[in-house]
């Protein structure tokens, strides 16, 4: 592809129909819509979910992280490719400790970003911090037009918000949200991809 395009994918409230870790409540519509979005936009996935480093399916405990994540995605019907890097297929986890929060603060200072931490406790990194860390590490010249976020929360940097496709955690990435994404990405009038072919 001429320039990389990336869909930053959360699970809770996006792939699942309710914002909880009940893995039985997955949405097949969400999977089909995510596949369609990535196919139309020629994009790959980067996982943002807090599930990204843990084994999701029984028996995955011994699998490398990327392999376990791919197995989970395929099990729920998502066949869009992950970012082709052994490390960059998922965001770094800055929120886990104070060292990560220190990295987040430096990122905000470097990018002259001011965050009012009303939705996160002071001393905790936000999803936006992790996203910007990923961009700086793997795609430092990535234009805004080349990425979107599928999430049910909005703990992103102010400059990221125009690229957020916010899902209702009760319905996930449903048809209405998918239509919104296609409109934002100017894909509304493109030919529908036949996912059964």
């Amino acid at each position: 592809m001429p320039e990389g395009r990336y869909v930053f994918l959360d699970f809770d409230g996006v792939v699942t129909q309710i914002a909880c870790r009940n893995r039985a409540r997955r949405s097949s519509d969400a999977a089909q819509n995510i596949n369609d979005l990535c196919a139309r936009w020629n994009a790959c996935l980067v996982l943002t979910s807090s599930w990204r480093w843990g084994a999701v399916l029984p028996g995955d405990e011994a699998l490398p992280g990327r392999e376990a994540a791919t197995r989970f995605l395929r099990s729920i019907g998502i066949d869009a490719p992950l970012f082709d890097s052994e490390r960059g297929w998922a965001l770094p986890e800055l929120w886990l400790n104070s060292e990560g929060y220190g990295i987040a603060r430096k990122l905000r200072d470097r990018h002259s970003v001011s965050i009012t931490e009303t939705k996160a406790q002071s001393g905790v990194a936000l999803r936006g911090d992790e996203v910007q860390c990923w961009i700086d590490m793997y795609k430092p010249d990535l234009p805004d037009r080349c990425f979107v976020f599928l999430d049910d929360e909005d703990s992103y940097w102010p400059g990221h918000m125009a690229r957020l496709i916010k899902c209702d955690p009760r319905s996930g990435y449903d048809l209405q949200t998918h239509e919104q994404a296609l409109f934002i990405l100017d894909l509304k009038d493109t030919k529908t991809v036949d996912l059964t072919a």
Side-chain angles (χ1 to χ4, degrees):
M1 66 183 82
E3 60 184 352
R5 296 189 178 107
Y6 306 94
V7 174
F8 291 91
L9 178 65
D10 186 29
F11 290 164
D12 289 324
V14 178
V15 174
T16 57
Q17 292 178 334
I18 52 176
C20 73
R21 285 183 178 256
N22 180 353
R23 293 168 175 88
R25 295 292 299 272
R26 299 170 192 141
S27 169
S28 59
D29 289 342
Q32 183 171 348
N33 292 334
I34 290 165
N35 289 336
D36 184 55
L37 176 65
C38 290
R40 287 191 200 211
W41 203 38
N42 200 15
C44 64
L45 300 172
V46 177
L47 302 187
T48 65
S49 171
S50 58
W51 302 10
R52 61 192 181 262
W53 297 113
V56 179
L57 298 175
D60 280 359
E61 293 78 11
L63 293 177
R66 181 186 173 90
E67 190 175 332
T70 301
R71 183 170 177 243
F72 172 69
L73 290 171
R74 302 309 176 247
S75 77
I76 61 175
I78 296 175
D79 58 17
L82 279 175
F83 177 62
D84 189 18
S85 166
E86 281 304 311
R87 295 178 60 108
W89 57 271
L91 297 185
E93 288 188 321
L94 300 181
W95 59 273
L96 289 177
N97 54 50
S98 58
E99 180 183 342
Y101 182 65
I103 294 170
R105 296 296 299 210
K106 289 178 184 175
L107 275 170
R108 295 177 197 174
D109 290 345
R110 187 176 338 134
H111 289 277
S112 302
V113 170
S114 177
I115 302 287
T116 303
E117 296 178 356
T118 56
K119 294 195 174 184
Q121 294 176 326
S122 180
V124 176
L126 304 174
R127 180 70 49 83
D129 299 320
E130 295 175 323
V131 165
Q132 195 60 53
C133 186
W134 185 95
I135 290 172
D136 287 358
M137 289 171 64
Y138 296 102
K139 296 290 176 180
D141 298 321
L142 183 66
D144 288 350
R145 67 180 181 276
C146 291
F147 63 88
V148 292
F149 312 108
L150 300 184
D151 207 323
D152 65 325
E153 297 183 9
D154 55 6
S155 59
Y156 291 88
W157 287 8
H160 295 152
M161 296 305 289
R163 308 306 291 173
L164 173 64
I165 312 298
K166 191 169 180 185
C167 301
D168 183 328
R170 296 166 297 180
S171 55
Y173 187 60
D174 60 8
L175 186 57
Q176 180 178 353
T177 312
H178 185 48
E179 294 287 323
Q180 176 193 0
L182 297 179
F183 180 79
I184 287 173
L185 298 175
D186 199 24
L187 298 171
K188 192 72 178 84
D189 296 328
T190 60
K191 181 180 177 185
T192 300
V193 175
D194 184 359
L195 298 173
T196 62

